Amino acid sequence: MKNMINALIAMQKIDDEIVAKKHIKNQLPKRLKNLKDNVKITKDKVEKLKKDIDDNVVQQNLFEKEITSNKEKIAKYENQLLNIKTNKEYKALNNEISNLKNANSQIDEKIIKAMDKETDLNVEFNSAQTEAKEAQKKLNSEEDDLNKEIVQVDKDIAELKNQRKEIAIKNLPRQLIKRYGLLITNKAGKAVAFVEKNSCSGCGVNLRPQLIIEIEKGQKIISCENCGRLLVNKPKEDKEK
Ligand SMILES: [Zn+2]
């Protein structure tokens, strides 16, 4: 019986380690995903800025074309001025010319603003490119390591499961192994509970004195009447902690 109890305690200890390893394993792909996400975000930023710069240049060209077309009109109107007969017509045409000149000086200002914006965008573009390169570099250097870690954790978990299986087969009857397995699955990874201050460490329920005496005797496997976990006394080395 003592062997069985010790085996249960050892198996629970292994299952606790498996839970910890699984937690690590779950974190590793997340780390990898974060690095990949960061590469995508920084690359998207570069693309977006590239498009903004292209749009800006297109806009500048449109402004230039507008200016050219206005200048052509101005030249045409100035030619027409020479043949104008009435004062009224002369005034109207002159007005038109001065409107076009005003429009052009306004467009000139827009071009200057667009050029300033282009300069800013280029600065942003360069720093975004640096950022994207760094993110890619970081991913490349860590990807291999992380993949190796994932493989290693899987190996560790398989090894722990083997250890647990060996202990179980060597020390426990088939029925008890099955019960242990069900408890691990259904009771949040804790099949074995300890008597702690006359309570079950698994669910906290107060234990009947008679039950505590029976656990103390260690002549049979006792289950918690509330949560069903296998109740044992804490091993001595743990008790001192
Ligand atoms: Zn309990």
Side-chain angles (χ1 to χ4, degrees):
M1 187 53 61
K2 185 81 187 135
N3 279 350
M4 275 167 69
I5 290 170
N6 284 339
L8 286 172
I9 292 169
M11 283 163 68
Q12 181 63 64
K13 216 169 174 180
I14 290 171
D15 267 305
D16 291 346
E17 278 180 59
I18 290 173
V19 168
K21 292 276 180 192
K22 278 185 179 165
H23 181 71
I24 293 171
K25 194 189 159 188
N26 286 338
Q27 295 304 315
L28 293 176
K30 276 182 207 157
R31 261 168 64 195
L32 198 56
K33 193 182 171 297
N34 280 344
L35 291 171
K36 282 182 179 167
D37 284 352
N38 203 31
V39 167
K40 186 170 184 321
I41 290 166
T42 52
K43 275 188 179 162
D44 286 352
K45 199 172 163 192
V46 170
E47 286 307 308
K48 162 101 175 47
L49 284 164
K50 193 172 177 294
K51 195 183 170 298
D52 286 350
I53 291 169
D54 288 346
D55 288 350
N56 178 291
V57 171
V58 167
Q59 186 60 55
Q60 283 187 49
N61 287 336
L62 287 177
F63 285 148
E64 299 282 2
K65 270 185 190 158
E66 213 180 329
I67 285 181
T68 307
S69 134
N70 284 347
K71 275 182 180 167
E72 279 165 10
K73 278 183 200 160
I74 290 167
K76 200 175 88 188
Y77 293 158
E78 276 173 347
N79 261 335
Q80 284 174 10
L81 277 182
L82 304 172
N83 303 316
I84 289 289
K85 305 276 185 309
T86 69
N87 228 350
K88 201 180 165 194
E89 274 180 292
Y90 186 88
K91 226 178 164 183
L93 207 50
N94 234 344
N95 221 2
E96 196 62 33
I97 290 168
S98 111
N99 280 346
L100 286 168
K101 282 183 176 168
N102 274 341
N104 268 1
S105 74
Q106 273 170 21
I107 297 168
D108 265 333
E109 273 172 35
K110 283 184 187 168
I111 290 175
I112 289 167
K113 269 188 190 161
M115 282 165 77
D116 285 347
K117 180 82 183 158
E118 190 191 353
T119 307
D120 291 345
L121 284 171
N122 274 315
V123 171
E124 273 186 69
F125 177 77
N126 286 336
S127 85
Q129 250 187 340
T130 309
E131 224 179 301
K133 272 184 202 154
E134 302 265 303
Q136 184 65 53
K137 222 165 98 188
K138 205 169 172 199
L139 173 65
N140 292 347
S141 76
E142 288 191 30
E143 198 167 22
D144 280 352
D145 288 348
L146 280 167
N147 281 330
K148 275 181 203 152
E149 272 182 67
I150 290 169
V151 171
Q152 184 58 48
V153 172
D154 277 336
K155 247 167 133 180
D156 291 348
I157 290 172
E159 172 63 24
L160 285 165
K161 283 182 176 169
N162 261 337
Q163 281 177 25
R164 187 187 57 190
K165 196 175 164 191
E166 269 178 39
I167 295 170
I169 289 170
K170 213 168 134 193
N171 299 288
L172 304 181
R174 214 168 54 86
Q175 275 306 99
L176 188 54
I177 295 173
K178 208 176 159 190
R179 205 163 121 208
Y180 177 92
L182 282 174
L183 285 166
I184 285 289
T185 311
N186 298 322
K187 298 287 170 185
K190 295 278 185 192
V192 176
F194 298 109
V195 181
E196 263 174 10
K197 291 174 185 157
N198 299 333
S199 306
C200 164
S201 72
C203 68
V205 80
N206 266 321
L207 300 169
R208 287 187 294 113
Q210 182 56 35
L211 211 60
I212 294 171
I213 290 165
E214 280 181 50
I215 295 163
E216 201 67 51
K217 277 189 199 156
Q219 283 166 351
K220 59 175 179 175
I221 302 295
I222 308 284
S223 291
C224 171
E225 288 166 342
N226 183 52
C227 69
R229 290 188 178 91
L230 307 166
L231 275 169
V232 300
N233 270 325
K234 233 179 192 175
K236 286 241 160 57
E237 67 265 44
D238 283 3
K239 258 185 184 171
E240 282 157 13
K241 277 178 195 168

